[in-house]
Amino acid sequence: MANKIFKMASSFCRTAVPMIVLLLSASCSLKENPQSYTLSGNYYRNVSQIKTGLNACYSPLRLIYTNMGFWEMCECDTDLMYLNVDNQIDAVCDISPSRPGAASTVWQRGYQGVSRTNSMSANIERAVNEGYVTEEEAAPLLAEAAVLRAFYWYVLTSTFGDVPFYTVAVTEENRESIVRMPRMSAADAREYCIAELRQRLPALEARRSYEDGTDFRAGKALGLMLGGRLCLWNKDWEGAIAFFGELEGIYGELSSYPLTDVPFSRKFTRESIWEVPNTYEPYGLQVVGTLASWTTPLRAQNIVSDEFAQEEIVSDIYYGIGIPELGPNAQTYTSARPTPYLCQNLLPYSSPDLRSGEYSAGSDSARGGSGNLAWRWEGYSPDDAERSSGKQVFFFGTKSGDEWVRMNASSTPWLGNKFWCPDLRSTRDANNYKIFRYAGAVLGLAEAYLMNGDIPNALKRLNAVRNRAGLTDLNLSDVGGDEELLMEEIRRECAKELLGEYNRKFDLVRWNIWYERASQYNTGTIISRNIRPCNRYWPIPADQVAASGGVLTNIEYGE
């Protein structure tokens, strides 16, 4: 069936006009000359030149994932955390076709990435046909392009639902008709990508993404992860088991990957399948995001720029305690905070779950956790200016008069060191943003096995994630033999394990429970005024609707 759809889609894209919405003059996606980029007969004639072209296919992904509004949409519009700031419109669902927020970036950069990967696929095939590269040389290059193309379609369909779809290069001849194509079934678009991945991935080496450290190329592991995720969306349980199962054969036992490698500050870790890399050198390379400024406890006195900071306002006091790990030069904003459902129900202060909170990195009582919440983070007394060896250690909490009160079971913690950037300079977050980790594939396997009726294998994968976090095995009898309750336990583990990794809203939407859970558990006062069922997907920006001549619509938002 998948091969049939793949062949039909390929035929459709050759004979009908390819389905896409690229941008007109107001948009960046068509600022590139399609003739010069996609049909360069004098270039892409050897493997090195083709790799150079593929390199350009990565940059739109970075621009999507370093857009703060995209993270807010994925994580703050859910049951797990909120950001109560009215001008952060993606965090409070204050969006519409004319006020699209991050949707504009995702649409433009997503289709820019599609355009580039389609073009490079065409260039590689041309190079083979004209004898410049062999089929053997071309196979892994075509596979890399297929993985990247699947990534862009994964992001676009997860964000917008049904979208225009195409797989051929944009030219001057087809551009006008391409712009006016309607939405296509997201399930069909995913099915095409699934079939193409099955066809192309055997050409890539079976290895971990970061086996050799900072190798950034989209390899087999990422392709398998995307294939599994796309199958979960399409409820293709056997397909998901096949993709994730092959990934399991590469990565092995989850227990061999320590939870302490999960924080974003730990770069290119062995468990990671895909990271968006950042780096900051004070007088050198600076490729950064801003996420840490929105996930770090409020600093005592903020600075606008460390170049112009006054000595007396430089401080490493964060919400009343000194945290040397964070440094004195950060600019922090109003922080995203966990919902009561997350910090009281899923990861409470008293929980033995190692993901509930990590101690300071220099503490003798470090727990070996992933630092999702700052329940136990230690610091020094703000009155201890000399930071003597006998200093009193403070924990986050609240001050009542002159008395410092530690956090307790009824407190609301800050997000933890999973998201903090050590020695943050102004807002320049040099952490790597972790998008896919092996633990997500293990949980995907648990879900797929359960939905396919194989409860023992589902429990095996679920318990692998639980055991690494210090929890005991869960048995079907623990949920009264109810398979739906077992599925809920898988959802809870996804919440705890993958917090902040750009997955939660997508998961809730594909489980068809997003509006129910977000409206029930998200305690942000601003989002509660705005949230509507239509917000499960972001709207196509109004300028793109206009560019299509009204062919594209936002029916749910109109209602």
Side-chain angles (χ1 to χ4, degrees), residues 352-380:
D353 195 316
L354 294 175
R355 297 164 296 193
S356 68
E358 176 66 311
Y359 284 107
S360 176
S363 170
D364 293 335
S365 54
R367 305 173 75 228
S370 56
N372 287 8
L373 302 176
W375 278 123
R376 300 170 178 83
W377 199 264
E378 299 174 345
Y380 66 87

Side-chain angles (χ1 to χ4, degrees), residues 83-154:
L83 181 59
N84 211 38
V85 180
D86 56 7
N87 65 359
Q88 297 302 112
I89 61 176
D90 295 284
V92 296
C93 289
D94 187 14
I95 47 93
S96 67
S98 60
R99 185 180 167 89
S104 181
T105 296
V106 177
W107 186 271
Q108 292 183 21
R109 300 305 182 181
Y111 276 112
Q112 184 182 55
V114 165
S115 178
R116 291 184 180 184
T117 52
N118 289 349
S119 298
M120 287 310 303
S121 293
N123 284 321
I124 297 166
E125 290 174 350
R126 175 186 55 78
V128 173
N129 292 336
E130 296 179 2
Y132 292 113
V133 299
T134 66
E135 290 188 1
E136 185 178 3
E137 290 173 321
L141 301 171
L142 286 168
E144 183 178 351
V147 171
L148 288 170
R149 175 156 61 188
F151 205 156
Y152 285 112
W153 287 123
Y154 167 78

Side-chain angles (χ1 to χ4, degrees), residues 33-40 44 115 119 122-123 126 169-171:
N33 184 328
Q35 289 288 94
S36 64
Y37 186 82
T38 67
L39 301 177
S40 302
Y44 304 126
S115 178
S119 298
N123 284 321
R126 175 186 55 78
V170 180
T171 67

Side-chain angles (χ1 to χ4, degrees), residues 51 54-55 57-58 61 117 139-152 197 200-201 203-205 207-210 214-226 251 273-275 436:
K51 285 185 175 181
L54 285 171
N55 289 346
C57 297
Y58 288 82
L61 270 177
T117 52
L141 301 171
L142 286 168
E144 183 178 351
V147 171
L148 288 170
R149 175 156 61 188
F151 205 156
Y152 285 112
L197 289 171
R200 300 291 188 192
L201 286 181
L204 295 174
E205 180 186 358
R207 59 187 290 275
R208 298 181 186 89
S209 292
Y210 301 107
T214 60
D215 182 9
F216 70 93
R217 306 205 76 88
K220 189 166 192 173
L222 177 60
L224 293 170
M225 186 69 182
L226 288 166
Y251 278 75
I273 293 173
W274 188 252
E275 300 182 4
F436 296 125

Side-chain angles (χ1 to χ4, degrees), residues 29 37 48 67 144 148-149 182 223 248 253 269 289 321 356 359 400 450 511 524:
S29 295
Y37 186 82
S48 296
N67 181 289
E144 183 178 351
L148 288 170
R149 175 156 61 188
E248 190 176 49
E253 294 294 327
T269 56
I321 68 169
S356 68
Y359 284 107
S400 175
L450 176 61
W511 290 327

